[in-house]
Coordinates of all heavy atoms in Angstrom, one line a residue:
M1 N 49.2 254.6 58.7 CA 49.7 254.0 57.5 C 51.2 254.2 57.4 O 51.7 255.2 57.7 CB 49.0 254.7 56.3 CG 49.6 254.3 55.0 SD 48.9 255.2 53.6 CE 47.3 254.6 53.5
K2 N 51.9 253.2 56.9 CA 53.3 253.2 56.7 C 53.6 253.3 55.2 O 53.1 252.6 54.4 CB 53.9 251.9 57.3 CG 55.4 251.9 57.3 CD 55.9 250.7 58.0 CE 57.4 250.7 58.1 NZ 58.1 250.4 56.9
T3 N 54.5 254.3 54.9 CA 54.9 254.6 53.5 C 56.4 254.7 53.5 O 57.1 254.7 54.5 CB 54.3 255.8 52.9 OG1 54.8 256.9 53.7 CG2 52.8 255.8 53.0
A4 N 57.0 254.8 52.3 CA 58.5 255.0 52.2 C 58.8 256.4 52.9 O 58.1 257.4 52.6 CB 58.9 255.0 50.8
S5 N 59.7 256.4 53.8 CA 60.0 257.6 54.5 C 61.0 258.5 53.7 O 61.9 258.1 53.0 CB 60.7 257.3 55.8 OG 61.1 258.5 56.5
T6 N 60.7 259.8 53.8 CA 61.6 260.8 53.2 C 62.7 261.3 54.2 O 63.5 262.1 53.9 CB 60.9 262.0 52.7 OG1 60.1 262.6 53.8 CG2 59.9 261.7 51.6
F7 N 62.6 260.7 55.4 CA 63.6 261.0 56.5 C 64.7 260.0 56.6 O 64.4 258.8 56.3 CB 62.8 261.1 57.8 CG 61.9 262.3 57.9 CD1 60.6 262.1 57.5 CD2 62.3 263.5 58.3 CE1 59.7 263.1 57.5 CE2 61.4 264.6 58.3 CZ 60.1 264.4 57.9
R8 N 65.9 260.5 56.9 CA 67.0 259.6 57.1 C 67.5 259.6 58.5 O 67.6 260.7 59.1 CB 68.1 260.0 56.1 CG 69.3 259.1 56.1 CD 70.3 259.6 55.1 NE 70.7 261.0 55.2 CZ 71.8 261.4 55.8 NH1 72.7 260.5 56.3 NH2 72.1 262.7 55.8
E9 N 67.7 258.5 59.1 CA 68.2 258.4 60.4 C 69.7 258.8 60.5 O 70.5 258.3 59.7 CB 68.1 257.0 61.0 CG 66.7 256.6 61.2 CD 66.6 255.2 61.8 OE1 67.5 254.8 62.5 OE2 65.5 254.6 61.7
L10 N 70.1 259.7 61.4 CA 71.5 260.2 61.5 C 72.3 259.1 62.2 O 73.5 259.0 62.0 CB 71.5 261.5 62.2 CG 70.9 262.7 61.5 CD1 71.0 264.0 62.3 CD2 71.6 262.9 60.1
E11 N 71.7 258.4 63.2 CA 72.4 257.4 64.0 C 71.5 256.1 63.9 O 70.8 255.9 64.9 CB 72.5 257.9 65.4 CG 73.4 259.1 65.5 CD 73.4 259.7 66.9 OE1 73.0 258.9 67.9 OE2 73.9 260.8 67.1
P12 N 71.6 255.3 62.9 CA 70.8 254.2 62.7 C 71.1 253.0 63.7 O 70.4 252.1 63.8 CB 71.0 253.7 61.3 CG 72.3 254.3 60.9 CD 72.4 255.6 61.7
E13 N 72.3 253.1 64.4 CA 72.6 252.1 65.3 C 71.8 252.2 66.6 O 71.1 253.2 66.8 CB 74.1 252.2 65.7 CG 75.1 252.2 64.5 CD 75.3 253.5 63.9 OE1 75.1 254.5 64.7 OE2 75.5 253.6 62.7
G14 N 72.0 251.2 67.5 CA 71.3 251.3 68.7 C 70.2 250.2 68.9 O 69.7 249.7 67.9
A15 N 69.9 249.9 70.1 CA 68.9 248.9 70.4 C 67.5 249.3 69.8 O 67.1 250.4 70.0 CB 68.8 248.6 71.9
R16 N 66.9 248.3 69.2 CA 65.5 248.6 68.7 C 64.5 247.7 69.4 O 64.8 246.6 69.9 CB 65.5 248.3 67.2 CG 66.3 249.3 66.4 CD 66.1 249.2 64.9 NE 66.9 250.2 64.3 CZ 66.5 251.3 63.8 NH1 65.2 251.6 63.9 NH2 67.3 252.2 63.3
V17 N 63.3 248.3 69.6 CA 62.3 247.6 70.2 C 61.0 247.5 69.3 O 60.9 248.4 68.4 CB 61.9 248.2 71.6 CG1 63.0 248.1 72.6 CG2 61.5 249.7 71.4
R18 N 60.2 246.6 69.5 CA 59.0 246.4 68.7 C 57.9 247.3 69.3 O 57.6 247.2 70.5 CB 58.6 244.9 68.7 CG 57.4 244.7 67.8 CD 57.1 243.2 67.7 NE 58.2 242.3 67.5 CZ 58.8 242.1 66.3 NH1 58.3 242.6 65.2 NH2 59.8 241.3 66.2
V19 N 57.2 248.0 68.5 CA 56.0 248.8 68.8 C 55.0 248.5 67.7 O 55.4 247.9 66.7 CB 56.2 250.3 69.0 CG1 57.3 250.6 70.0 CG2 56.5 250.9 67.6
R20 N 53.7 248.8 68.0 CA 52.7 248.6 66.9 C 52.1 250.0 66.7 O 51.7 250.7 67.6 CB 51.7 247.6 67.4 CG 52.2 246.2 67.3 CD 51.2 245.2 67.9 NE 50.1 245.0 67.0 CZ 50.1 244.2 65.9 NH1 51.2 243.5 65.6 NH2 49.0 244.0 65.2
F21 N 51.9 250.3 65.4 CA 51.2 251.5 65.0 C 50.0 251.1 64.1 O 50.2 250.5 63.1 CB 52.0 252.5 64.3 CG 51.3 253.8 64.0 CD1 51.4 254.9 64.8 CD2 50.5 254.0 62.9 CE1 50.8 256.1 64.6 CE2 49.8 255.1 62.6 CZ 50.0 256.2 63.5
S22 N 48.8 251.3 64.6 CA 47.6 250.9 63.9 C 47.7 249.4 63.4 O 47.4 249.1 62.3 CB 47.3 251.8 62.7 OG 47.0 253.1 63.2
G23 N 48.2 248.5 64.3 CA 48.2 247.1 64.0 C 49.4 246.7 63.2 O 49.6 245.5 63.0
Q24 N 50.3 247.6 62.9 CA 51.5 247.2 62.1 C 52.7 247.2 63.0 O 53.0 248.2 63.7 CB 51.7 248.3 61.0 CG 52.6 247.9 59.9 CD 52.4 248.8 58.7 OE1 52.1 250.0 58.8 NE2 52.8 248.3 57.5
D25 N 53.5 246.2 63.0 CA 54.7 246.1 63.8 C 55.8 247.0 63.2 O 56.1 247.0 62.0 CB 55.3 244.7 63.8 CG 54.5 243.8 64.7 OD1 53.9 244.3 65.7 OD2 54.5 242.6 64.5
L26 N 56.5 247.7 64.1 CA 57.6 248.6 63.7 C 58.8 248.3 64.7 O 58.5 248.1 65.9 CB 57.2 250.1 63.8 CG 56.1 250.5 62.9 CD1 55.7 252.0 63.3 CD2 56.4 250.5 61.4
M27 N 60.0 248.4 64.2 CA 61.2 248.3 65.1 C 61.8 249.7 65.2 O 62.3 250.2 64.2 CB 62.2 247.3 64.5 CG 61.7 245.9 64.5 SD 61.2 245.2 66.1 CE 62.8 245.1 66.8
L28 N 61.6 250.3 66.3 CA 62.1 251.7 66.5 C 63.2 251.7 67.6 O 63.3 250.8 68.4 CB 61.0 252.6 67.0 CG 59.7 252.6 66.1 CD1 58.7 253.6 66.7 CD2 60.0 253.0 64.7
R29 N 64.1 252.8 67.5 CA 65.2 252.9 68.5 C 64.6 253.1 69.9 O 63.9 254.1 70.1 CB 66.1 254.0 68.0 CG 67.0 253.6 66.8 CD 68.0 254.6 66.5 NE 67.4 255.9 66.5 CZ 68.0 257.0 66.9 NH1 69.2 257.0 67.3 NH2 67.4 258.2 66.8
E30 N 65.0 252.3 70.8 CA 64.6 252.4 72.2 C 65.1 253.8 72.8 O 66.2 254.1 72.6 CB 65.1 251.3 73.0 CG 64.6 251.3 74.4 CD 64.9 250.0 75.2 OE1 66.0 249.4 74.9 OE2 64.1 249.7 76.1
G31 N 64.1 254.5 73.4 CA 64.5 255.8 74.0 C 64.5 257.0 73.0 O 64.7 258.1 73.4
G32 N 64.3 256.7 71.7 CA 64.3 257.7 70.7 C 63.0 258.6 70.8 O 62.1 258.1 71.4
N33 N 63.1 259.7 70.2 CA 61.9 260.6 70.2 C 60.8 259.9 69.3 O 61.1 259.5 68.2 CB 62.2 262.0 69.6 CG 61.0 262.8 69.5 OD1 60.2 262.7 68.6 ND2 60.8 263.7 70.5
L34 N 59.6 259.7 69.9 CA 58.6 258.8 69.2 C 58.2 259.5 67.9 O 58.1 258.7 66.9 CB 57.4 258.6 70.1 CG 56.3 257.8 69.5 CD1 56.8 256.4 69.1 CD2 55.1 257.7 70.5
A35 N 58.0 260.8 67.8 CA 57.6 261.4 66.6 C 58.7 261.2 65.5 O 58.4 260.9 64.4 CB 57.3 262.9 66.8
A36 N 59.9 261.5 65.9 CA 61.0 261.3 64.9 C 61.1 259.9 64.4 O 61.4 259.6 63.2 CB 62.3 261.8 65.5
E37 N 61.0 258.9 65.4 CA 61.2 257.5 65.0 C 60.0 257.1 64.1 O 60.3 256.3 63.1 CB 61.2 256.7 66.3 CG 62.4 256.9 67.1 CD 63.7 256.4 66.4 OE1 63.6 255.3 65.8 OE2 64.7 257.0 66.5
L38 N 58.8 257.5 64.4 CA 57.7 257.2 63.5 C 57.9 257.8 62.1 O 57.6 257.1 61.1 CB 56.3 257.6 64.1 CG 55.9 256.8 65.3 CD1 54.7 257.4 66.0 CD2 55.6 255.3 65.0
L39 N 58.3 259.0 62.0 CA 58.5 259.6 60.7 C 59.6 258.9 60.0 O 59.5 258.6 58.8 CB 59.0 261.1 60.9 CG 57.8 262.1 61.3 CD1 58.4 263.4 61.6 CD2 56.8 262.2 60.2
A40 N 60.7 258.5 60.6 CA 61.8 257.8 60.0 C 61.3 256.4 59.5 O 61.9 255.8 58.6 CB 63.0 257.6 61.0
A41 N 60.3 255.8 60.2 CA 59.8 254.5 59.8 C 58.8 254.6 58.7 O 58.3 253.6 58.2 CB 59.2 253.8 61.0
G42 N 58.5 255.9 58.3 CA 57.5 256.1 57.2 C 56.1 256.2 57.6 O 55.2 256.1 56.7
V43 N 55.8 256.4 58.9 CA 54.4 256.5 59.3 C 53.9 257.9 59.0 O 54.5 258.9 59.4 CB 54.3 256.2 60.8 CG1 52.9 256.6 61.3 CG2 54.7 254.8 61.1
T44 N 52.8 258.0 58.3 CA 52.1 259.3 58.1 C 50.8 259.0 57.4 O 50.7 258.0 56.7 CB 53.0 260.2 57.1 OG1 52.3 261.5 57.1 CG2 53.1 259.7 55.8
P45 N 49.7 259.7 57.8 CA 49.6 260.7 58.8 C 49.6 260.1 60.2 O 49.4 258.9 60.4 CB 48.3 261.4 58.5 CG 47.5 260.3 57.9 CD 48.4 259.4 57.1
F46 N 49.8 260.9 61.2 CA 49.7 260.5 62.6 C 48.2 260.5 63.1 O 47.8 259.7 63.9 CB 50.5 261.4 63.5 CG 52.0 261.1 63.5 CD1 52.6 260.6 62.4 CD2 52.7 261.3 64.7 CE1 54.0 260.3 62.4 CE2 54.1 261.0 64.7 CZ 54.7 260.6 63.6
R47 N 47.5 261.5 62.6 CA 46.1 261.6 62.9 C 45.3 262.3 61.8 O 45.9 262.8 60.8 CB 45.9 262.5 64.2 CG 46.3 263.9 64.1 CD 46.1 264.7 65.4 NE 46.3 266.1 65.2 CZ 45.4 267.0 65.0 NH1 44.1 266.6 64.9 NH2 45.7 268.3 64.8
R48 N 44.0 262.4 62.0 CA 43.2 263.2 61.1 C 42.3 264.2 61.9 O 42.0 263.9 63.0 CB 42.2 262.3 60.3 CG 43.0 261.4 59.3 CD 42.2 260.7 58.3 NE 43.0 260.0 57.4 CZ 43.6 260.5 56.3 NH1 43.4 261.7 56.0 NH2 44.3 259.8 55.5
T49 N 42.1 265.4 61.3 CA 41.3 266.4 62.1 C 39.9 265.9 62.3 O 39.3 265.2 61.4 CB 41.3 267.7 61.4 OG1 40.8 267.5 60.1 CG2 42.7 268.3 61.2
P50 N 39.3 266.2 63.4 CA 38.0 265.7 63.7 C 36.9 266.2 62.8 O 35.9 265.5 62.5 CB 37.7 266.2 65.2 CG 39.0 266.5 65.7 CD 39.9 266.9 64.6
V51 N 37.0 267.4 62.3 CA 35.9 268.0 61.4 C 36.0 267.6 60.0 O 35.1 267.0 59.4 CB 35.9 269.5 61.6 CG1 34.8 270.1 60.7 CG2 35.6 269.9 63.1
S52 N 37.2 267.9 59.4 CA 37.3 267.6 57.9 C 38.0 266.3 57.6 O 38.0 265.9 56.5 CB 38.1 268.8 57.3 OG 39.4 268.7 57.7
G53 N 38.7 265.7 58.6 CA 39.4 264.5 58.3 C 40.8 264.8 57.6 O 41.4 263.8 57.1
A54 N 41.2 266.0 57.6 CA 42.5 266.3 57.0 C 43.7 265.6 57.7 O 43.7 265.6 58.9 CB 42.7 267.8 57.0
P55 N 44.6 265.1 56.9 CA 45.7 264.4 57.6 C 46.7 265.3 58.3 O 46.9 266.5 57.8 CB 46.4 263.7 56.4 CG 46.1 264.6 55.2 CD 44.7 265.1 55.5
R56 N 47.3 264.9 59.4 CA 48.2 265.7 60.1 C 49.4 264.8 60.5 O 49.3 263.6 60.7 CB 47.6 266.2 61.4 CG 46.5 267.3 61.2 CD 47.2 268.5 60.7 NE 46.3 269.6 60.5 CZ 45.7 270.0 59.4 NH1 46.1 269.3 58.3 NH2 44.9 271.0 59.3
A57 N 50.6 265.4 60.6 CA 51.8 264.8 61.0 C 52.6 265.8 61.8 O 52.3 267.0 61.7 CB 52.6 264.3 59.8
P58 N 53.7 265.4 62.5 CA 54.4 266.4 63.3 C 54.9 267.6 62.5 O 55.3 267.5 61.4 CB 55.6 265.6 63.8 CG 55.1 264.2 63.8 CD 54.2 264.1 62.6
F59 N 54.8 268.8 63.2 CA 55.2 270.0 62.5 C 56.2 270.8 63.4 O 57.3 271.1 62.9 CB 54.0 270.9 62.3 CG 54.3 272.2 61.7 CD1 54.6 272.3 60.3 CD2 54.2 273.4 62.4 CE1 54.9 273.5 59.7 CE2 54.5 274.6 61.8 CZ 54.8 274.7 60.5
C60 N 55.9 271.0 64.6 CA 56.8 271.8 65.4 C 57.9 271.0 66.2 O 59.0 271.5 66.4 CB 56.1 272.7 66.5 SG 55.4 271.7 67.8
M61 N 57.6 269.8 66.5 CA 58.5 268.9 67.2 C 58.9 269.5 68.6 O 60.0 269.1 69.1 CB 59.8 268.6 66.4 CG 59.5 267.8 65.1 SD 58.7 266.2 65.4 CE 60.2 265.2 65.9
M62 N 58.1 270.4 69.2 CA 58.4 270.9 70.5 C 57.1 271.1 71.4 O 57.1 271.9 72.3 CB 59.1 272.2 70.4 CG 58.4 273.3 69.7 SD 59.4 274.8 69.5 CE 58.2 276.0 69.2
G63 N 56.1 270.4 71.1 CA 54.9 270.4 71.9 C 54.0 271.5 71.8 O 53.1 271.7 72.6
A64 N 54.1 272.3 70.7 CA 53.2 273.5 70.6 C 52.0 273.3 69.6 O 51.0 273.8 69.8 CB 54.0 274.6 70.1
C65 N 52.2 272.5 68.5 CA 51.2 272.4 67.5 C 50.1 271.3 67.7 O 49.0 271.4 67.1 CB 51.8 272.3 66.1 SG 52.5 270.7 65.8
F66 N 50.4 270.3 68.4 CA 49.5 269.2 68.6 C 49.2 268.4 67.3 O 48.2 267.6 67.3 CB 48.2 269.6 69.3 CG 48.5 270.0 70.8 CD1 49.1 271.2 71.1 CD2 48.1 269.1 71.8 CE1 49.3 271.5 72.4 CE2 48.3 269.4 73.1 CZ 48.9 270.6 73.4
D67 N 49.9 268.6 66.3 CA 49.7 267.8 65.0 C 50.2 266.4 65.1 O 49.9 265.6 64.3 CB 50.3 268.5 63.8 CG 49.3 269.6 63.3 OD1 48.1 269.6 63.7 OD2 49.8 270.5 62.5
C68 N 50.9 266.1 66.2 CA 51.5 264.8 66.3 C 50.7 263.9 67.3 O 51.2 262.8 67.7 CB 53.0 264.9 66.8 SG 53.0 265.6 68.5
L69 N 49.5 264.3 67.6 CA 48.7 263.5 68.6 C 48.5 262.1 68.1 O 48.2 261.8 66.9 CB 47.3 264.1 68.8 CG 47.3 265.4 69.6 CD1 45.9 265.9 69.7 CD2 47.9 265.3 70.9
V70 N 48.8 261.1 69.0 CA 48.6 259.7 68.8 C 48.0 259.1 70.0 O 48.1 259.7 71.1 CB 49.9 258.9 68.4 CG1 50.3 259.3 67.0 CG2 50.9 259.1 69.4
E71 N 47.4 258.0 69.9 CA 46.9 257.3 71.1 C 47.9 256.2 71.5 O 48.2 255.3 70.6 CB 45.6 256.6 70.7 CG 44.7 256.4 71.9 CD 43.3 255.9 71.4 OE1 42.5 256.8 71.1 OE2 43.1 254.7 71.4
I72 N 48.5 256.3 72.7 CA 49.5 255.4 73.1 C 48.9 254.6 74.3 O 48.6 255.2 75.3 CB 50.8 256.1 73.6 CG1 51.4 256.9 72.4 CG2 51.9 255.1 74.1 CD1 52.5 257.9 72.9
D73 N 48.8 253.3 74.1 CA 48.2 252.4 75.1 C 46.9 253.0 75.6 O 46.6 253.0 76.9 CB 49.2 252.2 76.3 CG 50.5 251.5 75.8 OD1 50.3 250.6 74.8 OD2 51.5 251.8 76.3
G74 N 46.1 253.6 74.7 CA 44.8 254.1 75.1 C 44.7 255.5 75.5 O 43.6 256.0 75.8
V75 N 45.8 256.2 75.6 CA 45.9 257.6 76.1 C 46.4 258.5 75.0 O 47.4 258.2 74.4 CB 46.8 257.7 77.3 CG1 46.9 259.1 77.8 CG2 46.3 256.8 78.4
T76 N 45.7 259.5 74.7 CA 46.1 260.5 73.6 C 47.2 261.3 74.1 O 47.1 262.0 75.2 CB 44.9 261.3 73.2 OG1 43.8 260.5 72.7 CG2 45.3 262.3 72.1
R77 N 48.3 261.3 73.4 CA 49.5 262.1 73.8 C 50.2 262.7 72.6 O 50.0 262.3 71.5 CB 50.5 261.2 74.5 CG 49.9 260.5 75.8 CD 50.8 259.7 76.5 NE 51.9 260.5 77.0 CZ 53.0 260.0 77.6 NH1 53.1 258.7 77.7 NH2 54.0 260.8 77.9
Q78 N 51.1 263.6 72.8 CA 51.9 264.2 71.8 C 53.1 263.3 71.5 O 54.0 263.2 72.4 CB 52.4 265.6 72.2 CG 51.2 266.6 72.3 CD 51.7 267.8 73.1 OE1 51.8 267.8 74.3 NE2 52.0 268.9 72.4
A79 N 53.2 262.8 70.3 CA 54.3 261.9 70.1 C 55.7 262.6 70.2 O 56.7 261.9 70.6 CB 54.2 261.3 68.7
C80 N 55.8 263.9 69.9 CA 57.1 264.6 70.0 C 57.5 264.8 71.4 O 58.7 265.2 71.6 CB 57.0 265.9 69.2 SG 56.0 267.2 70.1
M81 N 56.7 264.5 72.4 CA 57.0 264.7 73.8 C 57.2 263.3 74.5 O 57.3 263.2 75.7 CB 55.9 265.4 74.5 CG 55.7 266.8 74.0 SD 57.0 267.9 74.5 CE 57.9 268.2 73.0
C82 N 57.3 262.2 73.7 CA 57.4 260.9 74.2 C 58.6 260.2 73.7 O 59.1 260.4 72.6 CB 56.2 260.0 73.8 SG 54.6 260.7 74.4
E83 N 59.1 259.3 74.5 CA 60.2 258.4 74.1 C 59.7 257.0 73.7 O 58.7 256.6 74.3 CB 61.2 258.2 75.3 CG 62.0 259.4 75.6 CD 63.0 259.2 76.7 OE1 63.1 258.1 77.2 OE2 63.8 260.1 77.0
V84 N 60.4 256.4 72.8 CA 60.0 255.0 72.4 C 60.2 254.0 73.5 O 61.3 254.0 74.1 CB 60.8 254.6 71.1 CG1 60.5 253.1 70.8 CG2 60.4 255.5 70.0
G85 N 59.3 253.2 73.8 CA 59.4 252.1 74.8 C 58.9 250.8 74.2 O 58.0 250.8 73.3
A86 N 59.5 249.7 74.6 CA 59.1 248.4 74.1 C 57.6 248.1 74.3 O 57.0 248.4 75.4 CB 59.9 247.3 74.8
G87 N 57.0 247.6 73.3 CA 55.6 247.1 73.4 C 54.5 248.2 73.3 O 53.3 247.9 73.5
M88 N 54.9 249.4 73.0 CA 53.9 250.5 72.9 C 52.8 250.1 71.8 O 53.2 249.6 70.7 CB 54.5 251.8 72.4 CG 55.3 252.5 73.5 SD 56.0 254.0 72.7 CE 56.0 255.1 74.1
E89 N 51.6 250.3 72.1 CA 50.5 250.1 71.2 C 50.0 251.5 70.8 O 49.5 252.2 71.6 CB 49.3 249.3 71.8 CG 49.6 247.9 72.1 CD 49.5 247.1 70.8 OE1 48.9 247.5 69.8 OE2 50.1 245.9 70.8
I90 N 50.3 251.9 69.6 CA 50.1 253.3 69.1 C 49.0 253.2 68.0 O 49.0 252.3 67.2 CB 51.4 253.9 68.5 CG1 52.5 253.7 69.6 CG2 51.1 255.3 68.2 CD1 53.9 253.9 69.0
A91 N 48.1 254.2 68.0 CA 47.1 254.3 67.0 C 46.7 255.7 66.8 O 47.1 256.6 67.6 CB 45.8 253.5 67.5
M92 N 46.0 256.0 65.7 CA 45.5 257.3 65.5 C 44.5 257.6 66.6 O 43.7 256.7 67.0 CB 44.8 257.4 64.1 CG 45.7 257.6 63.0 SD 44.7 258.0 61.5 CE 46.0 258.0 60.3
P93 N 44.4 258.8 67.1 CA 43.3 259.1 68.0 C 41.9 258.8 67.5 O 41.7 258.9 66.3 CB 43.4 260.7 68.2 CG 44.9 261.0 67.9 CD 45.2 260.0 66.8
A94 N 41.1 258.3 68.4 CA 39.8 257.7 68.0 C 39.0 258.6 67.1 O 38.3 258.2 66.1 CB 39.0 257.4 69.2
A95 N 39.0 260.0 67.3 CA 38.1 260.9 66.5 C 38.5 260.9 65.1 O 37.7 261.2 64.2 CB 38.2 262.3 67.1
G96 N 39.8 260.6 64.8 CA 40.2 260.7 63.4 C 40.4 259.4 62.7 O 40.9 259.4 61.5
R97 N 40.2 258.3 63.3 CA 40.5 257.0 62.8 C 39.8 256.7 61.5 O 40.3 256.3 60.5 CB 40.2 255.9 63.8 CG 41.4 255.3 64.3 CD 41.0 254.2 65.3 NE 41.8 254.5 66.5 CZ 41.4 254.2 67.7 NH1 40.3 253.6 67.9 NH2 42.2 254.5 68.7
D98 N 38.5 257.0 61.5 CA 37.7 256.6 60.3 C 37.1 257.9 59.6 O 36.1 257.8 58.9 CB 36.5 255.7 60.7 CG 37.1 254.4 61.3 OD1 38.1 253.9 60.8 OD2 36.5 254.0 62.4
G99 N 37.7 259.0 60.0 CA 37.2 260.3 59.4 C 35.9 260.7 60.1 O 35.2 261.6 59.6
D100 N 35.6 260.1 61.2 CA 34.4 260.5 61.9 C 34.6 261.8 62.7 O 35.7 262.2 63.0 CB 33.9 259.4 62.9 CG 35.0 259.0 63.9 OD1 36.2 259.4 63.7 OD2 34.7 258.2 64.7
A101 N 33.6 262.5 63.0 CA 33.7 263.8 63.7 C 33.6 263.7 65.2 O 33.2 262.8 65.7 CB 32.6 264.8 63.1
Ligands
LIG201 S1 54.9 268.1 66.6 FE1 53.9 269.9 67.4 S2 53.2 269.2 69.3 FE2 54.3 267.5 68.5

């Protein structure tokens, strides 16, 4: 889901590429940190927990908490460990998409 972001880009210049998050087109900075770019674009939550369906978004930004898990082109990955690339198809991981366990 995309909402108004509370994050501000420090360097808004630079080439942007189109990616899709849960079917929604976004223009993100090419080569930027995917988690930071999604937050700046207002995307939250990134996933939902498998058991309770609680919303999750990036917390540590260094690969430790796994709260930034997303599905990129069908593979579940940590968004904070990925760079933005043109044409990425991003979605919530399957277990949390519809609140299913
Ligand atoms: S934000 Fe913690 S692992 Fe990505």
Side-chain angles (χ1 to χ4, degrees):
M1 171 187 289
K2 185 174 184 288
T3 61
S5 178
T6 56
F7 294 89
R8 181 173 57 97
E9 294 182 21
L10 295 177
E11 298 174 13
E13 304 85 28
R16 293 188 179 259
V17 292
R18 185 177 312 278
V19 305
R20 288 176 69 82
F21 186 94
S22 296
Q24 197 167 24
D25 283 334
L26 301 172
M27 296 300 289
L28 306 181
R29 287 186 310 145
E30 185 170 30
N33 178 278
L34 180 59
E37 291 293 319
L38 289 174
L39 286 172
V43 172
T44 187
F46 281 33
R47 70 178 184 96
R48 293 193 176 275
T49 58
V51 175
S52 70
R56 291 289 183 262
F59 180 70
C60 72
M61 297 298 283
M62 61 181 198
C65 73
F66 288 75
D67 277 344
C68 65
L69 288 179
V70 290
E71 205 171 278
I72 303 170
D73 298 326
V75 179
T76 302
R77 301 184 61 188
Q78 295 162 283
C80 70
M81 297 287 107
C82 297
E83 291 183 357
V84 173
M88 285 177 146
E89 289 284 340
I90 308 163
M92 283 190 181
R97 248 181 233 149
D98 303 316
D100 53 352

